[in-house]
Amino acid sequence: MTSILVTNDDGIHSQGLVSLANALEGVGEVTVVAPDREKSAASHALTLHRPLRLNAWRDGYYMVNGTPADCVYLGVVELLDRKPDLLVSGINRGANVGDDVTYSGTIAAAFEGTILGIPSFAISLVGSQPYDFGNASRVAIKIAEKILDNGLPKDTLLNVNVPSGEIAGVRTTRQGKHIYEELVHEGIDPRGGKYYWIGSGEAPHVDQGADTDYMAVRGGYVSVCPLHLDLTHYEALEPLRQEWEGDLEEALKVGRSL
Ligand code: MN
């Protein structure tokens, strides 16, 4: 029996998670391990300095008082008898494109799955309330089936974004830019202390090429962006070698006593 681990970063009570798990029931045996509360923008954090609890919530659903990466790690290493055949993270409320990739707990869960050797993808629904997860759930089924049939390239996960409304098509994309307005809300709490609340105002969009994830979803296309764990910027290696190595060695007086 095909085993599928499902998680998210919006928390176990998120409708996107339930829609995804229900949709994947037809593809394999689904186990849900998700944070007990919203952990959006938790990125790839692991909880190392306090105890974690893994509690059954309802049939096939478990919740963890931790991050999405905690959920994947505990689900795979502790809960399941064997490694799942597939890990799916989502369906996130809101897009995860461009720079969102480095903040997203949804995508980090798929990174964690990839590190553990499990074919993984993250899926997000573009837009805002009210969310309709129908199309994104259908997309998730098709991508799950395709990965189970064909696998994924080594150390590669898929970051899938589904537009709200009618789908114009599917585009394989590269990571673009997602620019937010630099916004901090400042207020005074009931005891007179000042607080800050990081905002997320949308900045005017930048035309960045039709082959980016950002532009694909703007055009109504499903974006399928392959990501890998190696963040090295290979084009920067040679210029840095030439311009930095010698200067730094000189500054550090390498080979001479300081
Ligand atoms: Mn989220």
Side-chain angles (χ1 to χ4, degrees):
M1 183 70 172
T2 301
S3 160
I4 303 173
L5 180 60
V6 170
T7 190
N8 75 345
D9 79 354
D10 292 336
I12 199 152
H13 302 290
S14 164
Q15 189 53 44
L17 176 80
V18 176
S19 297
L20 177 64
N22 287 345
L24 293 173
E25 291 285 354
V27 183
E29 189 177 8
V30 174
T31 305
V32 175
V33 184
D36 63 358
R37 66 198 69 186
E38 172 151 10
K39 287 288 175 186
S40 292
S43 189
H44 203 152
L46 277 179
T47 302
L48 301 180
H49 302 293
R50 62 174 176 81
L52 290 171
R53 312 280 179 193
L54 175 67
N55 288 316
W57 179 48
R58 62 186 205 206
D59 197 27
Y61 281 67
Y62 299 82
M63 57 184 171
V64 173
N65 58 338
T67 65
D70 292 331
C71 292
V72 174
Y73 193 83
L74 283 181
V76 172
V77 177
E78 182 62 28
L79 180 68
L80 295 173
D81 297 333
R82 64 172 180 90
K83 270 191 187 177
D85 302 292
L86 180 70
L87 180 141
V88 189
S89 179
I91 299 166
N92 189 60
R93 290 184 297 236
N96 273 312
V97 294
D99 308 307
D100 300 335
V101 167
T102 58
Y103 299 100
S104 168
T106 308
I107 298 174
F111 270 116
E112 186 62 24
T114 306
I115 286 173
L116 293 170
I118 302 155
S120 302
F121 74 94
I123 183 160
S124 304
L125 176 62
V126 182
S128 52
Q129 301 273 16
Y131 291 102
D132 177 353
F133 294 101
N135 277 348
S137 297
R138 283 186 283 280
V139 170
I141 291 171
K142 293 302 159 199
I143 290 179
E145 289 173 342
K146 190 106 180 122
I147 291 175
L148 288 167
D149 284 348
N150 302 315
L152 284 171
K154 191 173 184 297
D155 293 336
T156 302
L157 57 119
L158 299 182
N159 178 29
V160 180
N161 279 270
V162 180
S164 47
E166 206 170 312
I167 292 175
V170 178
R171 290 287 178 268
T172 308
T173 57
R174 65 181 170 88
Q175 187 185 337
K177 296 289 290 179
H178 196 184
I179 300 164
Y180 292 97
E181 210 180 337
E182 290 171 9
L183 206 61
V184 175
H185 302 278
E186 194 181 308
I188 303 292
D189 70 34
R191 292 193 175 85
K194 195 184 269 188
Y195 69 82
Y196 301 97
W197 201 293
I198 292 174
S200 62
E202 196 84 15
H205 97 274
V206 180
D207 193 346
Q208 48 189 281
D211 59 344
T212 59
D213 50 6
Y214 183 84
M215 293 304 284
V217 295
R218 271 187 70 91
Y221 291 87
V222 174
S223 164
V224 180
C225 180
L227 300 174
H228 66 154
L229 295 165
D230 180 354
L231 298 179
T232 310
H233 187 206
Y234 284 92
E235 287 168 27
L237 273 179
E238 208 41 49
L240 282 173
R241 265 185 197 130
Q242 285 169 20
E243 293 161 24
W244 286 56
E245 273 184 10
D247 287 354
L248 279 173
E249 285 180 350
E250 181 62 29
L252 292 165
K253 300 181 177 11
V254 173
R256 280 183 274 163
S257 55
L258 292 172

